[in-house]
Amino acid sequence: MAENQCSGCPSASDCSAEQRANCGSGQGPESMLEPANKYSRIKKVIGIVSGKGGVGKSFVTASLAAAMKKAGYATGIMDADITGPSIPKMFGVQGEAYGNAEGMILPLETKEGIRLISISLLMENPEDPVLWRGPVIGGAVKQFWTDVVWGDLDYMLIDMPPGTGDVPLTVFQSLPVDGIIVVTSPQELVQMIVKKAFRMAAMMDIPVLGVVENFSYLKCPDCGKQIRLFGESHVDEAAKELGIPVLGKIPLDPKMAEAADAGTFYGTEHPYLDAAVKVLGGLK
């Protein structure tokens, strides 16, 4: 039986996040899944991953969360990039997350209702560096699942650090992930990057829902021509080889970067991820 599979379900893909987190048969000796707390009812858990840094994974996570919320879904973001948290700033969320009488953590919300938890919301000074080793970071990510009162969510998006290290492994083994979206950029080494993330997910029996290409092009403000700053895209051929769909190609847009810096990211438009919203909305 796969690690993310309940004995009562024919395959891992047939189990929902809530079933795999709370199903007694899924908590056998071979399972490493952490149970959610009694105040969290999360229908789908989606990991946003990348094979390398610098491709705008947090940007895509925030964009997709905003798009899902605008589509009418109750959405939350777990910022699992412990040493490089950026999600709260993008949405203009400030302050500290506090606990309730039972010692559980209450997430903060954007003014539009997206629930967030991030290590930067648990520190006195969010600009202080997190100087933790891998096991401690992994433990914090687990607590974001077990000790945070998420309430009712249709989708939780997990913004993971790049690569295939401790945190992605912890998330895949400990949380009931329903699928991942791979974020990449239009460079020739894209095939290697996507394959690395794809193969890690396959080893953990996690479905790959598709790939999103960031930094696809820059649209000339004068003539409208698409300028390929990072060269021609190779994402279509990589996706075809792996048998996964391309869920979006996001251009470089200075207005989006400005909105993220100003904490007004939700107000930007995200039409480039319509296919991703449709795929997530169709998950059973």
Side-chain angles (χ1 to χ4, degrees), residues 120-121 132 203 207 243 284:
S120 65
L121 301 177
W132 296 349
M203 289 171 67
K284 303 298 183 185

Side-chain angles (χ1 to χ4, degrees), residues 6 52 177 184 212 236:
C6 301
K52 66 180 291 294
V177 180
T184 188
V212 172
D236 290 305

Side-chain angles (χ1 to χ4, degrees), residues 30-74:
E30 293 183 0
S31 175
M32 298 176 68
L33 290 177
E34 297 285 342
N37 62 70
K38 61 183 178 180
Y39 301 111
S40 297
R41 292 165 295 278
I42 302 165
K43 294 180 181 177
K44 296 295 177 184
V45 177
I46 309 297
I48 312 298
V49 308
S50 64
K52 66 180 291 294
V55 298
K57 174 185 45 57
S58 296
F59 175 87
V60 172
T61 302
S63 297
L64 186 55
M68 294 299 291
K69 181 64 179 175
K70 290 175 181 178
Y73 297 106

Side-chain angles (χ1 to χ4, degrees), residues 27-168:
Q27 296 299 320
E30 293 183 0
S31 175
M32 298 176 68
L33 290 177
E34 297 285 342
N37 62 70
K38 61 183 178 180
Y39 301 111
S40 297
R41 292 165 295 278
I42 302 165
K43 294 180 181 177
K44 296 295 177 184
V45 177
I46 309 297
I48 312 298
V49 308
S50 64
K52 66 180 291 294
V55 298
K57 174 185 45 57
S58 296
F59 175 87
V60 172
T61 302
S63 297
L64 186 55
M68 294 299 291
K69 181 64 179 175
K70 290 175 181 178
Y73 297 106
T75 306
I77 303 176
M78 179 193 293
D79 189 354
D81 196 349
I82 302 296
T83 58
S86 59
I87 294 291
K89 178 175 173 56
M90 296 174 74
F91 288 100
V93 174
Q94 298 178 348
E96 290 186 57
Y98 291 97
N100 62 12
E102 297 178 57
M104 293 186 180
I105 304 167
L106 303 175
L108 297 188
E109 285 192 12
T110 70
K111 61 181 181 180
E112 299 83 13
I114 298 174
R115 289 170 211 162
L116 306 177
I117 195 65
S118 172
I119 199 67
S120 65
L121 301 177
L122 297 170
M123 301 174 67
E124 252 184 71
N125 182 4
E127 295 182 355
D128 285 344
V130 177
L131 304 176
W132 296 349
R133 295 191 183 275
V136 180
I137 293 175
V141 172
K142 287 183 185 180
Q143 283 188 289
F144 284 174
W145 174 257
T146 59
D147 295 0
V148 174
V149 179
W150 289 104
D152 293 304
L153 288 181
D154 295 317
Y155 294 90
M156 174 190 284
L157 305 183
I158 304 178
D159 181 23
M160 288 198 268
T164 54
D166 285 343
V167 171

Side-chain angles (χ1 to χ4, degrees), residues 244-265:
I244 57 177
V246 176
L247 299 180
K249 295 182 180 181
I250 304 176
L252 279 160
D253 188 342
K255 291 181 180 178
M256 286 190 176
E258 291 168 7
D261 289 341
T264 58
F265 192 76

